[in-house]
Amino acid sequence: MAYCTLGITGVSGLIGLSVMLSIFVISLIFMLGRAMRSSTIEAWVKLELYQVLATILFVSGSMFFIGIFCSVDVTFFSDYINLGVVDPALIDPAMFPVNANMFDASSDYLVWLQNNIYGSSTQPGFYLQVKSVLMKWEVQASKSEFNCPGEFCLMMPNGWSIDPGTGFYTKLNAGYAALQALIISMLSVSSLRFMLEYASAGALLILFPIGAFFRSIPYMRGFGGALMALALTLYLALPFILFVNALVAYPVITGTPNLFAPPSTCSSDGSGACIVPIAQQAASASFVTVFLPALDFILLAAIGRDLARLFGSELDLTGLSQLV
Amino acid sequence: MNFRKLAVIAPVLVLLVLAGCLGFVQRDAGTGECIGTCPFGTHQPSPTTCACVPDQWSGDWVVLSALLLLTLIFLISIFYMLATALEMPYLQMQIKDEYAQAIVSLIFLVALASMLWSINNVLLPGLAGTFGLTLTDVPGGSHMEAAFDPISGVMDPMAFAKEYTQDITDALSHFTADLEGIALEVGAASSVSTYCQILGGVLGFSIVPCSYLNSTMGTLGLLLNALYAASIAMWAQAMLLKLAGTFMILLLPLGVLLRSLRFTRSAGGALIAIAVGFYLIYPFMVIADYSFIKSDVFMPDSATAKYGYTHVYDTAIKELSVNHDLGACTGDGDYISMLTNREAFIEPMAYWIIIVSILLPVMNLLVTLTFIRWFASAIGSEIEVGQLARVA
């Protein structure tokens, strides 16, 4: 599960080290400038020193916001969010554990989504329900019956045969299309989970310290700022947006009919009108796992761009949305 | 208004509003239960909801947004006081700029609330007759009747869009269920093989008398695939309409807040554009769909309704029963003539599936995304919605 803490990453030490290194390099250059009696180098060094100070300020501010972010208890928000909407509730109050932060909440949401789309040990999800119906259809389609109504069948077999489930072949294509959509949904949820893991581990442990380091080095400032912006976007904005997704997705998933429970017209043996409820499940899953993440990446790109400007750089995250 | 006066008024207002909802009831970290009681004038929405809210504003996006803006002005005021105390004129200038952005957001909020109020209370009642959107214009027995106020007759646009989508979804469900039943009957009938063997199996014959029905199975499969795609599109439309209110309550206040901050302005603008697009433009487009197709699909008389109301193509799918009686097919003639009838079946189904259920929902989404892109740009945010359009 993705985690949210500053303690275990050793990020402060890494950043402190990089700043000290930058000051060391600048001091050396300053001494060189003095030795050469170059006022240009001395002025440049002063400018660079300001940039190192700015980096320290940016990093301190970022750590402050990350600290606040990690200490947020989302159950507070989920209680408030449910106030105005009674039917259907935006979210199950018991969905998030007490004292869950944004990373806990977004991880829980993605696990909940996987359970609903694929299935859990207690209840089959959309994928397992559709797969079950398709298996029944395949068996029904292969069924043959023979009938010899006469009394002398052994001697003179006269009768007829029928494949009563031949019509199921016409429904199979629609069913497999739904199954394909559900598999894509499952892949999407899994990739979001891995992205969240990457954000919780890689963003703060690797991208942010490297960004802070390069942000302090002359001529590498743009690169460093972009890395810091990317790290903060992934670490702060991604879990937050996934949490908002949870609020949006909950009524969609819970409002989608179970294939075998009323008011669905599909029976557990695959008989009845199954195509529409199957289509509804595929549509809900695609909506939550493809449409919403596409929307998320648009927002992440906007946040990343603004943050990069703050750090004096440019960042284009629009390529992330092509993942969808 | 003088900045200093507002700096005093904003925190007082914030404290007054927050006084009703914070701290009186909270969740016990150990047990997870709610502890505390709500003061007079507020209530706890449910036993599991650890919060007190004043009765008059819970769930209202306008008040939530205003509350967030007031909180922001409160914080800006604190920072301005600090900048003044530390004699930092450059910071003061920056803070004044942020203050101006917060005021712009507040003005936008008031304008949006006024516009929505005008649409619901003035524009729609005034133009309902012109656009054929009165209670007498919708077919009797349809879900859309429920979108009109029984006393004033004024239409709730969001409810109308939802009910219209529900009517189309219901009709599609009936079409699909009927065709599924017909496909099973036709498949069974076309597979019946009659055989006769004599002289211990030396001589005999077998025949599949209804095998010619197999030639129609491909058409049925194609139709069911198309209806599956149409059902997906209509369900997605229903979901978007269902979530439009949620977008407004969640995304708009958040967007207004983020737009007021310098470093999240772009993201805030995008959130506002998305919320407004799906709350205002999307339902409007769905209502326009109804105006576009109502004369082709809906009719006022419900006396002989098959799918809950009468429509022009009511006889598109007949009550058929294709069967077999050993060597003979029954009901096959009606079935074949239905399937090959261009005017009564092929064109109506193409209209229902391609135009009503796939093209129009996709167009609605594309128009909404176009609006979102334009509106985001207008309020200072550049977002790329091309990927969303591709998903659509």
Side-chain angles (χ1 to χ4, degrees):
Chain A
M1 178 181 276
Y3 48 84
C4 183
T5 173
L6 289 171
I8 62 167
T9 59
V11 63
S12 311
L14 282 171
I15 293 166
L17 206 64
S18 65
V19 168
M20 295 300 284
L21 186 66
S22 302
I23 292 174
F24 174 67
V25 171
I26 289 169
S27 307
L28 280 180
I29 296 172
F30 180 74
M31 283 187 263
L32 190 68
R34 270 292 166 91
M36 294 167 63
R37 296 171 188 265
S38 167
S39 56
T40 313
I41 293 179
E42 283 182 29
W44 178 84
V45 163
K46 280 180 188 166
L47 200 68
E48 288 308 313
L49 204 58
Y50 279 128
Q51 288 293 344
V52 172
L53 288 175
T55 303
I56 293 171
L57 277 176
F58 285 148
V59 170
S60 308
S62 303
M63 304 292 258
F64 172 72
F65 281 112
I66 291 171
I68 288 181
F69 183 76
C70 290
S71 61
V72 165
D73 180 357
V74 296
T75 46
F76 174 83
F77 291 105
S78 59
D79 281 345
Y80 269 86
I81 284 160
N82 269 327
L83 297 178
V85 186
V86 179
D87 186 26
L90 277 174
I91 205 157
D92 179 6
M95 185 174 175
F96 300 127
V98 177
N99 296 332
N101 59 38
M102 289 289 175
F103 269 100
D104 298 333
S106 46
S107 293
D108 286 346
Y109 158 64
L110 292 176
V111 171
W112 175 81
L113 211 53
Q114 278 183 323
N115 288 339
N116 276 276
I117 290 175
Y118 181 76
S120 63
S121 55
T122 53
Q123 193 181 351
F126 295 167
Y127 174 80
L128 291 179
Q129 290 175 33
V130 173
K131 194 184 79 168
S132 159
V133 168
L134 284 179
M135 286 163 67
K136 302 248 169 44
W137 285 359
E138 288 280 11
V139 173
Q140 288 289 331
S142 68
K143 193 171 155 189
S144 290
E145 291 173 5
F146 299 89
N147 201 339
C148 181
E151 293 178 356
F152 304 103
C153 276
L154 285 176
M155 291 169 61
M156 196 172 68
N158 295 324
W160 50 282
S161 71
I162 183 171
D163 301 337
T166 305
F168 282 104
Y169 282 120
T170 57
K171 299 164 69 166
L172 277 169
N173 274 344
Y176 280 117
L179 206 62
Q180 198 176 4
L182 289 169
I183 287 171
I184 290 171
S185 296
M186 289 192 313
L187 287 175
S188 178
V189 179
S190 298
S191 63
L192 282 174
R193 278 194 75 184
F194 288 125
M195 194 179 281
L196 195 67
E197 293 283 346
Y198 174 73
S200 78
L204 207 59
L205 185 64
I206 299 166
L207 293 182
F208 195 70
I210 293 176
F213 177 72
F214 281 114
R215 177 71 183 67
S216 310
I217 296 178
Y219 306 113
M220 299 295 284
R221 201 152 290 136
F223 175 60
L227 280 186
M228 283 174 72
L230 179 62
L232 285 181
T233 304
L234 289 178
Y235 201 79
L236 298 181
L238 179 65
F240 175 71
I241 284 181
L242 285 175
F243 170 66
V244 176
N245 274 8
L247 307 176
V248 174
Y250 185 77
V252 175
I253 295 294
T254 53
T256 305
N258 183 313
L259 217 51
F260 309 131
S264 173
T265 48
C266 187
S267 305
S268 56
D269 61 357
S271 62
C274 292
I275 288 181
V276 169
I278 282 176
Q280 289 173 346
Q281 291 198 338
S284 291
S286 302
F287 183 85
V288 167
T289 59
V290 178
F291 186 80
L292 286 184
L295 210 60
D296 294 345
F297 287 127
I298 288 174
L299 295 173
L300 284 180
I303 293 170
R305 195 168 51 229
D306 281 352
L307 273 178
R309 273 187 205 142
L310 169 67
F311 296 134
S313 179
E314 289 293 329
L315 180 64
D316 185 9
L317 287 177
T318 48
L320 264 184
S321 57
Q322 285 172 5
L323 279 175
V324 176
Chain B
M1 185 184 284
N2 186 303
F3 184 76
R4 288 181 184 174
K5 282 183 186 169
L6 193 68
V8 175
I9 293 170
V12 171
L13 282 172
V14 171
L15 289 175
L16 275 176
V17 178
L18 291 183
C21 55
L22 289 180
F24 292 101
V25 169
Q26 55 186 303
R27 196 177 293 279
D28 189 313
T31 62
E33 301 288 323
C34 296
I35 51 173
T37 52
C38 292
F40 176 74
T42 64
H43 67 280
Q44 193 178 343
S46 76
T48 54
T49 304
C50 303
C52 297
V53 286
D55 300 332
Q56 70 275 19
W57 65 265
S58 60
D60 187 335
W61 62 269
V62 180
V63 182
L64 280 176
S65 306
L67 182 63
L68 285 173
L69 278 176
L70 286 172
T71 310
L72 184 69
I73 292 173
F74 172 56
L75 292 174
I76 288 174
S77 310
I78 298 286
F79 280 114
Y80 187 80
M81 283 183 235
L82 279 175
T84 307
L86 297 172
E87 294 183 354
M88 299 168 81
Y90 180 71
L91 191 59
Q92 278 180 316
M93 199 174 67
Q94 296 276 321
I95 291 171
K96 277 185 179 173
D97 187 39
E98 295 305 305
Y99 169 73
Q101 288 292 344
I103 296 297
V104 168
S105 296
L106 207 57
I107 292 169
F108 166 77
L109 196 65
V110 173
L112 184 64
S114 309
M115 190 172 75
L116 282 177
W117 185 89
S118 307
I119 288 173
N120 285 328
N121 296 287
V122 181
L123 201 64
L124 273 178
L127 296 175
T130 312
F131 290 114
L133 293 171
T134 60
L135 185 55
T136 53
D137 291 316
V138 298
S142 68
H143 288 100
M144 287 176 282
E145 283 184 314
F148 292 88
D149 188 297
I151 300 164
S152 66
V154 175
M155 181 185 80
D156 178 346
M158 184 60 82
F160 186 87
K162 285 179 184 172
E163 300 299 352
Y164 158 77
T165 307
Q166 184 65 48
D167 277 327
I168 300 292
T169 306
D170 283 356
L172 280 178
S173 300
H174 283 108
F175 286 159
T176 314
D178 285 354
L179 274 177
E180 280 185 82
I182 289 174
L184 289 183
E185 286 182 355
V186 171
S190 66
S191 71
V192 173
S193 168
T194 305
Y195 59 91
C196 176
Q197 294 175 355
I198 54 175
L199 300 176
V202 176
L203 197 62
F205 70 94
S206 75
I207 188 169
V208 184
C210 306
S211 62
Y212 62 90
L213 289 175
N214 272 326
S215 61
T216 63
M217 296 298 277
T219 310
L220 281 179
L222 198 67
L223 259 175
L224 285 173
N225 274 356
L227 282 165
Y228 161 80
S231 301
I232 281 193
M234 292 313 293
W235 185 255
Q237 178 164 300
M239 287 297 105
L240 274 174
L241 289 167
K242 187 178 180 179
L243 290 175
T246 310
F247 281 156
M248 206 62 174
I249 291 174
L250 283 181
L251 301 190
L252 192 87
L254 193 64
V256 166
L257 177 70
L258 294 182
R259 203 211 153 272
S260 307
L261 301 172
R262 176 182 292 259
F263 307 116
T264 51
R265 198 152 289 152
S266 188
L271 283 176
I272 291 174
I274 289 168
V276 172
F278 282 111
Y279 193 74
L280 264 185
I281 303 301
Y282 195 66
F284 171 77
M285 289 303 298
V286 176
I287 294 170
D289 289 350
Y290 170 73
S291 300
F292 176 56
I293 64 163
K294 68 176 180 180
S295 55
D296 293 329
V297 172
F298 298 103
M299 286 172 72
D301 179 23
S302 64
T304 57
K306 183 179 172 187
Y307 298 124
Y309 49 84
T310 307
H311 52 78
V312 178
Y313 302 129
D314 198 26
T315 55
I317 298 178
K318 292 177 182 173
E319 296 288 351
L320 292 175
S321 180
V322 181
N323 220 313
H324 64 94
D325 186 12
L326 295 185
C329 303
T330 59
D332 55 324
D334 286 344
Y335 164 69
I336 296 283
S337 63
M338 176 198 84
L339 211 60
T340 53
N341 192 322
R342 183 174 65 87
E343 288 182 358
F345 184 77
I346 297 172
E347 281 183 1
M349 289 312 292
Y351 188 78
W352 261 102
I353 295 170
I354 297 172
I355 305 296
V356 176
S357 311
I358 295 179
L359 179 73
L360 291 181
V362 170
M363 288 300 291
N364 297 341
L365 199 53
L366 286 180
V367 171
T368 307
L369 290 176
T370 307
F371 170 83
I372 288 173
R373 186 176 186 181
W374 166 81
F375 191 58
S377 172
I379 55 176
S381 172
E382 290 295 334
I383 55 171
E384 181 53 59
V385 293
Q387 300 298 332
L388 268 184
R390 211 172 290 173
V391 172

